């Protein structure tokens, strides 16, 4: 047995050598185990709580319930019906989808011009847009609210769509321009020599080749908007249109210690981002790396 | 001649045709960038200028300027508003001081923890799983993070995991987010939990970019694991570390959702930060004062932004 192992891995030949290696690695495994516990326990605790009857939550700890199973979906139905979370869920979707598609289209078009059409002050304008990436929403908050009020769109989704679109554009233009400009030059010039218009090159050559970058920015913006509290809190003046984040914040001030409702609400809020994240993790991480490192 | 033309362009005369195509296309560029530029100007640049103007006035509840007061909003912030900055007590307190606390603690711990996890995880076979576990909180709303951690910190040891844990060790339960001396650390740790994944992912990707051969060569030369980290990996990580630090710093100046949901700046004003103060003042109808706070926030971000743009420019020259 030992000899068979030795043939494959001469360095860890004998059992004692492997034992030594395992023990020397033990601090690494223990450290990572601790990290895993700290990162999992908070979420698991709330997840378990969201399935426990209200009385049980008050009476005993969530970790004691792991050995004494009595789980229910009642908290979820209650939070959906009583706390209007069903409506808030729909509102979150109605806010997020246009606030993702609009900046995606506008940023892609602008990024194309910044990469493949030459015009005066191109790089200066691009740098100024990149600089806008770090402007906090607070810096535009008071004037935007008066603007939306004057336009009559503060009682509707119009204001929040516009605000999210504008604040998503700098990152989108930056990410997509960096991707577009790395496309093979010959391809675009060949299309140009064949007489293709800019619109045609953009739609038929650049966009099909840039699906990963478009996906990265799209996912990033989707999660950003879905998870946002501040902008919805300020720009949505109509209580019937509030998204889940604002509703959950209201819930925890009105229902204070009602953990059966808060935990279920928090998990409803997390379902969509988690699904997006696990399905498209690769694009999300790529977008993050491109946005920060490039 | 020292011309370094690309292979494809050798011999092709730089004729008139190509530039004239570009010239004709100049106006077309406007069609592509026009809509984005219009939105940026109307919804970010113009409001920024308006905010600066607002910051020199008082507003009524309809956010109309009623009176010009010069720099009074700013002097109020730094001298009279004790919940923003209080230098009368030692140690100083207030939203601005809390933000500095956040900048130091949150930034260093997230960075070091992210680096440590990236380095450790690279040595085990379950690296991908580890990284997913730490990264997941990046995807969820800060509002949800606030609920998750408020539950961890619950004073009742039957509810809160942390108090459940320390009471089994014999300690009394602690009202982590209800006490002025612990609330900031409780919040900062929750946010570190939420953003360490970012530092880890960026630094892990950078570590992967360091050639295995170099590390193996050092190892055969008898270098220990610490030497390898200290003398080979760490110097090559300086740029990604700078990038992560910039991101974390900007993030922390803007921090709002987590604190607003978990404590609302309380107890009292113990956990106020600039962004929360700004929204509170805005809610009080103090449009001018809120605008002045936003301007201070922007002034804190500008040096970091300048660093970022400079880095971007230097990269463009070399790349």
């Amino acid at each position: 047995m030992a000899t068979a192992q030795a043939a494959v891995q001469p360095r860890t030949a004998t059992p004692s050598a492997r034992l030594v290696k395992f023990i020397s690695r033990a601090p690494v495994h223990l450290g990572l185990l601790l990290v895993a516990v700290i990162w999992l326990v908070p979420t698991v605790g709330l997840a378990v709580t969201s399935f426990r009857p209200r009385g049980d939550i008050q009476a005993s700890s969530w970790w004691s319930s792991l050995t004494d199973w009595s789980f229910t979906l009642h908290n979820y139905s209650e939070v959906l019906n009583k706390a209007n979370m069903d409506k808030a869920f729909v509102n979150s979707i109605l806010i997020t989808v246009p606030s993702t598609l609009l900046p995606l289209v506008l940023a892609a078009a602008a990024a194309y011009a910044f990469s493949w059409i030459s015009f005066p002050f191109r790089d200066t304008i691009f740098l100024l847009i990149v600089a806008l990436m770090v402007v906090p929403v607070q810096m535009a908050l008071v004037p935007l609210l008066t603007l939306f009020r004057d336009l009559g769109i503060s009682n509707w989704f119009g204001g929040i769509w516009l605000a999210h679109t504008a604040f998503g554009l700098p990152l989108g233009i930056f990410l997509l321009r960096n991707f577009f400009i790395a496309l093979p030059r010959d391809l675009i010039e060949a299309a140009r020599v064949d007489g293709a218009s800019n619109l045609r090159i953009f739609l038929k050559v650049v966009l099909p080749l840039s699906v990963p970058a478009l996906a990265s920015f799209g996912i990033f913006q989707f999660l950003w908007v879905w998870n946002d509290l501040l902008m919805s809190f300020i720009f949505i003046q109509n209580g019937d249109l509030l998204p889940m984040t604002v509703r959950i914040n209201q819930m925890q001030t009105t229902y204070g210690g009602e953990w059966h409702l808060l935990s279920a609400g928090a998990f409803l809020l997390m379902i969509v981002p988690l699904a997006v994240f696990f399905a498209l993790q690769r694009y999300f991480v790529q977008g993050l790396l491109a946005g920060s490192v490039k | 001649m020292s011309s370094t033309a690309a292979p494809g362009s050798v011999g092709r005369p730089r004729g008139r045709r190509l530039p004239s195509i570009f010239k004709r296309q100049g106006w077309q560029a406007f069609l592509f960038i026009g809509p984005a530029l219009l939105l940026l100007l109307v919804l970010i640049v113009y409001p920024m200028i308006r905010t600066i103007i607002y910051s020199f006035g008082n507003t009524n509840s309809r956010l109309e300027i009623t009176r010009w007061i010069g720099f009074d909003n700013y002097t109020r912030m730094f001298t009279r508003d004790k919940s923003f900055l209080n230098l009368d007590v030692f140690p100083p307190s207030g939203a601005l001081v809390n933000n500095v606390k956040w900048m130091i603690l949150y930034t260093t711990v997230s960075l070091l923890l992210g680096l440590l996890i990236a380095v450790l995880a690279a040595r085990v076979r379950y690296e991908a799983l580890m990284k997913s576990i730490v990264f997941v909180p990046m995807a969820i709303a800060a509002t949800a993070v606030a609920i998750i951690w408020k539950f961890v910190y619950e004073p009742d040891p039957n509810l809160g995991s942390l108090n459940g844990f320390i009471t089994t060790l014999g300690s009394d339960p602690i009202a982590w987010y209800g006490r002025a001396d612990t609330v900031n650390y409780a919040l900062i740790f929750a946010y570190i939990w939420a953003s360490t994944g970012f530092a880890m992912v960026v630094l892990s990707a950078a570590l992967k970019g360091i050639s295995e051969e170099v590390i193996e060569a050092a190892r055969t030369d008898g270098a220990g694991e610490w030497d390898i980290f200290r003398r080979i990996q760490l110097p090559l990580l300086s740029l990604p570390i700078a990038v992560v630090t910039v991101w974390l710093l900007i993030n922390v100046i803007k921090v709002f959702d987590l604190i607003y949901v978990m404590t609302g700046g309380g107890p009292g004003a113990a956990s106020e930060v600039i962004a929360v103060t700004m929204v509170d003042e805005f809610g009080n109808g103090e449009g001018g004062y809120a605008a002045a706070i936003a301007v201070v926030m922007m002034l804190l971000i500008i040096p970091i932004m300048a660093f970022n743009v400079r880095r971007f420019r230097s990269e463009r020259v070399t790349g």
Side-chain angles (χ1 to χ4, degrees):
Chain A
M1 227 166 68
T3 48
Q5 283 281 334
V8 186
Q9 287 180 301
R11 274 181 151 183
T12 54
T14 63
S16 67
R18 271 193 290 159
L19 189 67
V20 166
K21 192 186 172 195
F22 182 78
I23 291 172
S24 71
R25 282 286 179 87
V28 174
H29 293 297
L30 282 176
L32 289 174
L33 182 70
L34 183 68
V35 167
V37 167
I38 295 173
W39 258 266
L40 287 175
V41 165
T43 319
V44 171
L46 198 72
V48 171
T49 303
S50 74
F51 293 109
R52 298 182 70 205
R54 181 163 180 257
D56 288 10
I57 295 173
Q58 306 292 334
S60 65
S61 61
W62 65 266
W63 52 92
S64 70
S65 75
L66 294 176
T67 51
D68 179 21
W69 291 69
S70 69
F71 292 142
T72 167
L73 284 172
H74 178 257
N75 299 340
Y76 285 90
S77 64
E78 191 179 341
V79 83
L80 282 172
N81 300 323
K82 188 175 151 195
N84 277 336
M85 202 56 84
D86 50 349
K87 205 194 263 174
F89 194 94
V90 174
N91 288 340
S92 279
I93 293 172
L94 291 178
I95 291 168
T96 308
V97 172
S99 302
T100 305
L101 293 180
L102 210 55
L104 194 60
V105 171
L106 296 182
Y112 172 76
F114 282 121
S115 335
W116 294 107
I117 305 177
S118 71
F119 55 92
F121 306 113
R122 183 173 82 166
D123 291 353
T124 312
I125 297 172
F126 179 65
L127 271 183
L128 288 174
I129 291 178
V130 171
L132 289 182
M133 220 151 57
V134 296
V135 172
V137 185
Q138 280 89 344
M139 199 55 203
L141 211 139
V142 180
L144 272 187
L145 194 65
T146 56
L147 178 73
F148 292 157
R149 199 183 53 203
D150 295 345
L151 290 173
I153 53 176
S154 58
N155 279 321
W156 177 61
F157 291 129
I160 190 95
W161 288 341
L162 282 177
H164 273 305
T165 301
F167 278 88
L169 278 174
L171 177 71
I173 293 173
F174 176 66
L175 283 184
L176 295 177
R177 183 264 191 190
N178 281 350
F179 193 91
F180 291 176
I181 209 161
L183 293 173
R185 190 178 187 92
D186 294 349
L187 211 62
I188 286 140
E189 286 194 345
R192 226 165 237 164
V193 170
D194 287 348
S197 66
N198 274 315
L199 187 64
R200 204 177 155 76
I201 296 171
F202 173 60
L203 293 176
K204 300 284 175 187
V205 182
V206 171
L207 285 189
L209 288 172
S210 307
V211 173
L214 296 167
S216 288
F217 174 60
I219 292 162
F220 203 83
Q221 177 75 3
F222 182 92
L223 291 178
W224 173 260
V225 176
W226 183 274
N227 290 338
D228 163 75
L229 170 75
L230 176 62
M231 282 165 98
S232 297
F233 180 66
I234 301 289
F235 294 130
I236 300 182
Q237 305 278 307
N238 182 341
D240 288 336
L241 303 182
L242 293 176
M244 297 179 82
T245 46
V246 182
R247 188 65 85 193
I248 284 172
N249 184 44
Q250 287 179 345
M251 258 173 62
Q252 66 100 35
T253 39
T254 45
Y255 299 117
E258 299 282 354
W259 281 108
H260 68 296
L261 292 180
L262 280 178
S263 57
F267 270 91
L268 285 175
L269 172 63
M270 284 157 63
I271 284 174
V272 171
L274 288 181
V276 170
F277 175 73
F278 283 115
L280 303 162
Q281 183 173 9
R282 193 164 54 92
Y283 292 121
F284 181 56
V285 171
Q286 272 171 3
L288 210 65
L289 289 174
S292 63
V293 179
K294 264 195 178 162
Chain B
M1 289 250 281
S2 62
S3 121
T4 52
S9 67
V10 170
R12 192 213 280 167
R14 288 240 166 265
R16 280 182 191 180
R17 219 179 126 70
L18 213 56
S20 76
I21 284 178
F22 279 122
K23 224 170 246 167
R24 262 194 296 139
Q25 286 169 344
W27 66 271
Q28 285 190 20
F30 189 74
L31 297 180
F32 282 88
I33 64 166
L37 214 53
L38 182 74
L39 285 184
L40 290 173
L41 288 174
V42 175
L43 299 170
I44 301 184
V45 177
Y46 170 69
M48 279 173 76
I49 297 166
R50 284 287 302 262
T51 294
I52 296 170
I53 296 170
Y54 264 111
S55 77
F56 297 111
N58 272 343
T59 62
N60 59 17
S61 61
R62 285 192 48 80
L63 296 173
E64 291 149 349
I65 295 166
T66 51
R67 202 158 60 91
W68 296 106
I69 55 171
F71 281 91
D72 192 61
N73 281 326
Y74 293 93
T75 46
R76 172 180 167 191
M77 208 184 309
F78 289 101
T79 58
R80 303 198 302 275
D81 185 349
K82 296 301 175 196
S83 69
F84 188 82
L85 178 66
N86 187 353
L87 294 170
D88 301 341
V89 293
F90 189 84
S93 65
L96 191 62
V97 176
N98 284 340
N99 258 100
V100 173
K101 233 182 253 178
W102 273 84
M103 285 170 92
I104 296 167
L105 261 179
Y106 164 83
T107 308
T108 32
V109 177
S110 302
L111 188 68
L112 290 179
L113 216 49
L115 182 61
L116 183 72
I117 296 170
V119 170
L120 289 185
R123 279 148 213 265
V124 296
R125 278 197 220 137
Y126 47 92
E127 179 182 7
L129 176 70
M130 259 333 279
K131 289 199 327 204
S132 283
I133 290 173
V134 176
F135 192 72
V136 164
M138 279 293 295
I140 63 176
T143 308
V145 172
I147 302 289
I148 288 174
W149 279 88
K150 200 171 182 183
F151 190 62
V152 171
Y153 292 139
E154 269 298 286
D156 181 349
N158 254 346
L159 288 172
S161 312
L162 188 56
N163 279 322
F165 180 67
I166 66 167
T167 48
T168 54
L169 297 179
S171 163
D172 286 331
I174 295 169
W176 298 102
Y177 61 85
R179 279 171 50 165
D181 58 338
T182 52
V183 63
N184 283 309
Y185 303 107
L187 285 164
I188 291 172
F189 189 80
Y191 212 44
I192 289 171
W193 179 85
S195 11
T196 296
F198 171 76
M200 179 201 66
V201 161
V202 173
L203 296 176
S204 171
L207 277 171
K208 293 267 164 3
I210 299 171
S211 135
E212 269 302 314
E213 286 166 30
V214 177
I215 293 172
E216 273 309 314
R219 217 168 255 154
T220 41
D221 285 349
E225 292 297 308
W226 173 250
D227 282 329
I228 290 173
F229 175 71
R230 173 80 187 70
R231 302 197 182 276
I232 300 174
Q233 293 178 316
L234 201 56
L236 290 170
L237 285 180
S238 59
L239 180 66
I241 285 176
V243 169
V244 173
T245 307
V246 165
W247 188 88
L248 291 169
L249 282 174
I250 292 178
N251 214 21
V252 94
I253 295 170
K254 295 181 184 177
V255 62
F256 172 80
D257 294 11
L258 179 83
I259 301 172
Y260 197 76
V261 176
M262 203 149 137
T263 68
S271 62
E272 284 282 352
V273 289
I274 303 173
V276 174
T277 313
M278 192 265 168
V279 170
D280 284 346
E281 294 297 344
F282 177 70
N284 295 340
E286 295 261 17
Y289 191 46
I293 297 174
V295 171
V296 169
M297 208 168 149
M298 192 68 228
L299 289 176
L300 288 174
I301 291 177
I302 282 175
I304 304 171
M305 174 172 84
F307 172 83
N308 231 7
V309 169
R310 221 181 49 193
R311 180 173 59 83
F312 174 74
R313 276 189 127 148
S314 67
E315 259 175 39
R316 210 165 38 123
V317 173
T318 53

